[in-house]
Each structure stands twice: as structure tokens, then as C-alpha cells.
Amino acid sequence: MVVTRFAPSPTGYLHIGGLRTALFSYLWAKKNSGKFLLRIEDTDKARNSQEAAEAIVNAFSWLGLTHDGEITYQSQRDEVYAVYIKQLLDTGKAYYCYMSKEELDALREEQTAAKQRAMYDGRYRDFNGTPPEGVAPVVRIKAPQSGTIVVQDGVKGDVVFKAEDILDDFIIARADGSPTYNFVVAVDDALMGVTDVIRGDDHLSNTPKQMVVYEALGFTIPKFYHVPMIHNAEGKKLSKRDGATDVMAYKEMGYTPEALLNFLVRLGWSYGDQEIFSMAEMIELFNPKDINKSASIYNTQKLDWLSAHYIKNMPNEELAHLLGDYGLVLTSHDKKEILLDALKERAKTLKEMAELVTEMLQTPSAYEEKDVKKAFKEDSKAILENFASKVRNSSELHLPSDYHALMDATVQEMQIGFGKIGQPLRVALLGKLSGPGLDSVMAIIGKEETLKRIENALRANC
Ligand code: GLU
């Protein structure tokens, strides 16, 4: 059984890089009918982990990613960690170190001065004497002092670490008894039965240390997949300004979960040149061995493109419902279908779509000056009057095609090109030259509002 996990440190929100590794872990578990677990790494007790965990769970629920089983909170597991620290002490695989902070600082200074790597020198590793008084000891694990540790990484291949370069007998419990990061990660992954660890490659240098813990405790080492970072267009690490922000901010910006997940799955993973993936396809096709070896580039245009794609293809009922989150109540609008069909091809985000609809439903209070100049010619007034009278005298105006027929009739009657009516009418109805099809606009706002907007424009002497 494949068991994966997402193990965020509660920084208060879920960010885009974290979400991507969570998605990869989720997909890999689902593909293998396995389990996707959630662990909150809240050993830093100063932070409010409950709130952070809720923020993450909320984001997951918006995105439709569900974790299996209970959430594991590291802050609640001190007793578990204590058992394993004791086991390592009892079996001689870890030991108490009584070196004071001053001694350690002095050693570090000496090593730095001698241009050596600053590291613990192992002085208590085989200590049998009487411990110094008044020093609360830390617990250090016996790490290999020579040879190599090979991380068999599913993305990067074998990554070889020389023990002497990266390991000293690192601390697994501080003087106050609290366990340290690499120790608890290894213990938790093992006890949670995690078989596949998919995480950012900023953690790669922690992995040999975690492997030392696994080995000392006789746990099976999981498969590791270290995923390269996401970079911005300049090739630098993604910053808040580029979009490395709270995942829920993407909801506020009007992106759908489908678009965001599709965007993320392609950041660092590919399947041929396919760009659009439904959740079912992602689950079917994702394999962490296909994760790219180099960093991926965050590209907002791509996200917008995907977002537009999902909005365009969304059933109107669902779209109307989702627009409610952006302040647009459309569920009972009698022209809902025409309205959504007319605008769903034009919006990059749900928020933009809500704004476009709201704008269209409002009688223009001003006209774009340059558009007026471009659209209104000498004969425009007569053309609009001709069209308005046709509208006034028609009793059966419901569909866009009903309005279109009247525009055609004016064009025929006055022997003019379509632009002659289209342009001034567009400015009259919308205040500017851009927007959706005019026949749809008129069908949506209805006969009275159409006449009112034309009259307003004529009165304003456009
Ligand atoms: N808590 C770590 C982080 O938020 C992740 C640890 C891991 O995946 O092993 O970056």
C-alpha cells in the first residue's frame, strides 16, 4: 500500500509551493488506492497550530483534496518521541552530551579559525566518566563518521552524501527534553507508515540525517522524491510578489480549484505536451518518476489561460452558483442562460466574470470619449432612432436573435454596413466599444432598458 503525506509547518496559511507537493502526494496515493495523510509540524509551540491547521484544512476542502484519517499534530506526540529517544539511549545508539553552550561556541570558533567545518567533535560519544554537575545534557545520535549515505531519490537519482561532510552526532533531544526536527520527521513518517515521501528539494539536505534516525531505530526507509523549486520568470525563487501567496488568495482572485490544480500539476510534471488535465486524468497519469529534474517556472498567463478554459466549459448552473461567491446573485435571473453564454468566453476569472456581468447590467453613466469619437458619425443618430422605433414597436423580443433581426432590418432599410449601427449602439448600450455580442446584451437587459440606454445616449448628444 502506498502511503504519502503532506507535512506543513504551520505558517498560518498554505502556499502554492506547499500545495503543489501536497497535490503530487495526493495524486500518487489515489492512483495506488493508497492513503494520503496530513501531519502538522507544529513543534514550534509559540505558534497557534490549531488555527493554521484549520486554514490548511479549509484550503484543502475548497480544492477538493481530502486527507485520510486523523490529522497528526507533532505538538501532541512528545510522549511518543520520548519512547524512541529512550530506546536509542538504552541501545547505545544515542548518548547524553554535557557540553555547555560556551564550550560549543569555543570549539566552533577554533574550527572556523583553522578553516575546518564547524561541527561537534564527539567528545561525549564514548564517555564513561562522571558527568559534570549542573549541566542539563542534550541527546545526540551516533551518526556514521565516515563513508557515504546515498539518498536514492526518485526524481534526482542517487544523491551521495559524504558522512564527514554533512554529519556530526546531531542533537535529537534538547536539554529541556524536546525532540528536534529531523528526529521527529523520521519517527513520524515511520510510525505513520509513510512509504513515499514527496517534498520540496529544499529538504534534500535533511534526508541523510533522517536516514540515520531510520537506521538507528530499525525502520524501513521510505522512497524519497525531492521536487525542484518553483521559480519566477527571472529564474529566482518564487516570492510573495510572484504569487507565492496564500492558496485561498487564488479563490479571492477568482480562480477555480480545477484551474489551480491543473496549473500546479504542470509545474514540474508533464505528460507529453498535454496541458489540460481533469482530476481523474491527473490521478490516472501522474507518476512521481516523471517529475522534472529542473526548477519549474511560474507563469500567470498560463494560469489565466487554464482558468478561462475551465470557466468556458463549466455548466451554467454551476457557474451561476460559483459567481455567488463574488457577489453576483444570478441563480434566479430569467436570462441567466443567455447572460452566462455571452460572457463565459470573455472572462479569465470568476471575479472578472462577476464584474463584467455587473457592469453590463448597469445603465452606463458615462461614455468612453475616444470610443464615442470613433463610433458616432453624422448619421448615427438617425440610425439609432430607426432601430429604437423598431424595438419600441415589437412585442415579441426575447432572444438575441429577435434583436438581431431588428438590427438587420435597420441595416437593410437604411442601406448601411453593419458597423454603422453596431458601433454607436455598442457605445449607447455599454458606454464603450468592447463587450459581448449586442444581441445578447439586449436580450439580457430587455426591451425597456435597451430603449432607455439608446435614449440616454441620444440625449447625451454622443
Ligand atoms: N514541515 C516541512 C515544511 O513545511 C516539510 C517537511 C517534510 O515534508 O518532510 O517545509
Side-chain angles (χ1 to χ4, degrees), residues 37-298:
L37 307 178
L38 181 58
R39 176 172 79 233
I40 305 292
E41 305 212 312
D42 54 351
T43 44
D44 180 351
K45 299 200 173 76
R47 290 176 175 175
N48 185 342
S49 59
Q50 193 54 41
E51 224 171 75
E54 271 165 27
I56 289 162
V57 170
N58 280 347
F60 272 20
S61 110
W62 172 59
L63 292 159
L65 300 180
T66 32
H67 63 88
D68 295 299
E70 297 282 311
I71 302 178
T72 300
Y73 292 89
Q74 286 187 329
S75 60
Q76 296 168 4
R77 289 167 62 78
D78 280 352
E79 282 167 23
V80 176
Y81 306 132
V83 168
Y84 288 94
I85 289 165
K86 182 167 182 310
Q87 182 182 320
L88 290 179
L89 285 166
D90 290 349
T91 53
K93 292 180 174 159
Y95 59 92
Y96 287 115
C97 168
Y98 297 88
M99 207 168 166
S100 67
K101 186 172 176 308
E102 292 71 29
E103 284 175 299
L104 202 54
D105 285 346
L107 174 67
R108 202 166 280 147
E109 254 171 53
E110 251 172 61
Q111 289 168 330
T112 316
K115 301 216 172 347
Q116 290 165 353
R117 181 168 80 90
M119 63 182 285
Y120 173 66
D121 60 3
R123 68 179 68 170
Y124 284 97
R125 189 174 165 117
D126 299 308
F127 180 72
N128 284 323
T130 316
E133 293 220 352
V135 183
V138 299
V139 179
R140 290 182 181 273
I141 194 164
K142 285 186 181 166
Q145 292 173 309
S146 61
T148 56
I149 294 192
V150 182
V151 178
Q152 293 175 324
D153 192 84
V155 177
K156 295 175 184 282
D158 284 0
V159 186
V160 181
F161 293 91
K162 270 169 102 179
E164 63 195 69
D165 288 345
I166 56 135
L167 293 173
D168 45 16
D169 288 349
F170 58 91
I171 297 174
I172 57 170
R174 302 180 187 91
D176 64 1
S178 62
T180 56
Y181 176 74
N182 283 311
F183 181 73
V184 297
V185 169
V187 169
D188 283 341
D189 279 339
L191 297 185
M192 288 163 75
V194 173
T195 58
D196 295 60
V197 171
I198 304 176
R199 63 181 167 206
D201 68 1
D202 48 341
H203 284 283
L204 183 59
S205 60
N206 288 325
T207 307
K209 291 188 177 177
Q210 293 171 14
M211 286 168 69
V212 169
V213 177
Y214 273 97
E215 261 156 25
L217 289 169
F219 291 142
T220 313
I221 293 176
K223 289 196 193 101
F224 290 107
Y225 299 90
H226 286 94
V227 185
M229 297 282 102
I230 305 174
H231 284 172
N232 65 16
E234 287 85 50
K236 306 234 169 67
K237 204 171 166 232
L238 205 62
S239 74
K240 274 201 182 134
R241 205 160 18 96
D242 305 306
T245 168
D246 179 2
V247 161
M248 291 311 278
Y250 286 82
K251 181 179 185 204
E252 274 163 45
M253 289 187 269
Y255 294 105
T256 57
E258 292 80 3
L260 186 58
L261 294 176
N262 193 153
F263 173 66
L264 286 178
V265 84
R266 286 286 290 104
L267 275 181
W269 174 79
S270 53
Y271 183 78
D273 49 14
Q274 184 170 337
E275 291 291 358
I276 309 278
F277 294 89
S278 66
M279 180 47 87
E281 273 177 311
M282 288 187 214
I283 292 174
E284 190 195 325
L285 300 172
F286 180 77
N287 190 318
K289 77 173 173 36
D290 299 323
I291 292 172
N292 299 343
K293 288 186 172 35
S294 50
S296 48
I297 307 289
Y298 184 94

Side-chain angles (χ1 to χ4, degrees), residues 404-420:
H404 203 91
L406 297 188
M407 289 170 79
D408 276 342
T410 296
V411 163
Q412 298 285 330
E413 199 176 300
M414 301 187 77
Q415 296 284 302
I416 52 173
F418 206 83
K420 281 267 182 190

Side-chain angles (χ1 to χ4, degrees), residues 380-409:
S380 299
K381 191 165 185 251
I383 294 168
L384 286 185
E385 272 166 356
N386 178 299
F387 177 69
S389 81
K390 289 191 167 36
V391 172
R392 208 171 290 117
N393 295 329
S394 301
S395 52
E396 289 298 308
L397 288 173
H398 303 292
L399 298 173
S401 55
D402 299 333
Y403 287 91
H404 203 91
L406 297 188
M407 289 170 79
D408 276 342

